Amino acid sequence: MGRLAGKVAVVTAAGQGIGRAIATAFVREGATVWATDLDPAKLDGIGASQARRLDARSSEAVATLADETGPVHVLVNAAGFVHHGKVLNTDDKAWDFSFDLNVTSMHRTIKAFIPGMLAAGKGSIVNIASGAGSVRGIPNRYAYGTTKAAVIG
């Protein structure tokens, strides 16, 4: 307990799944956690210091959050979408949405938060990938696996 006392963390998609588990663990370890999600109602019960709605697909929203938080010690990119489909039934809209949320949102947050980390001379960025992708192929996860391979890369 207390391993993250005095640290400030931002966790995207903290409303459920891996993001929620990370945000909850960080709070338990004493971090000041800015828990974010597209649906802020999902952030109830985490115990985060700050709960905020964040559309990780919006550069403006991400930049505004970075201004609000100031420099952080940890950035966790957990926002993601699991598209179900194969190459022959994945349309451009699904492909573009998957890449924007699963890959480009990480670029947005890193670009917004890394200046504070560089100025402080330290910081950690955690990008959530998956066993699907470059590690192994998963049936019916064409767009998802491709985006997670990009994250690993």
Side-chain angles (χ1 to χ4, degrees):
M1 300 296 273
R3 292 181 294 172
L4 297 176
K7 304 293 184 192
V8 177
V10 169
V11 181
T12 66
Q16 60 189 4
I18 294 170
R20 186 176 185 89
I22 291 170
T24 302
F26 281 15
V27 167
R28 188 173 51 248
E29 290 296 333
T32 298
V33 176
W34 289 72
T36 70
D37 201 278
L38 192 56
D39 180 358
K42 291 180 178 178
L43 300 171
D44 291 344
I46 292 176
S49 305
Q50 300 288 332
R52 292 281 191 278
R53 180 186 188 282
L54 177 67
D55 181 355
R57 295 179 63 224
S58 166
S59 295
E60 182 179 333
V62 170
T64 297
L65 178 67
D67 288 342
E68 280 186 61
T69 66
V72 300
H73 298 95
V74 183
L75 169 63
V76 178
N77 285 309
F81 171 71
V82 181
H83 178 266
H84 302 272
K86 299 175 182 178
V87 66
L88 295 177
N89 63 3
T90 300
D91 61 22
D92 288 351
K93 184 176 178 181
W95 181 262
D96 292 344
F97 179 84
S98 295
F99 263 91
D100 194 26
L101 184 57
N102 295 354
V103 182
T104 307
S105 71
M106 291 183 183
H107 162 72
R108 286 184 192 98
T109 58
I110 292 167
K111 186 174 180 180
F113 286 95
I114 204 165
M117 292 178 177
L118 291 172
K122 59 185 171 184
S124 297
I125 299 171
V126 180
N127 293 325
I128 303 298
S130 174
S134 63
V135 177
R136 68 185 173 130
I138 305 291
N140 209 34
R141 298 292 186 277
Y142 171 65
Y144 177 74
T146 303
T147 63
K148 292 304 179 171
V151 170
I152 292 168

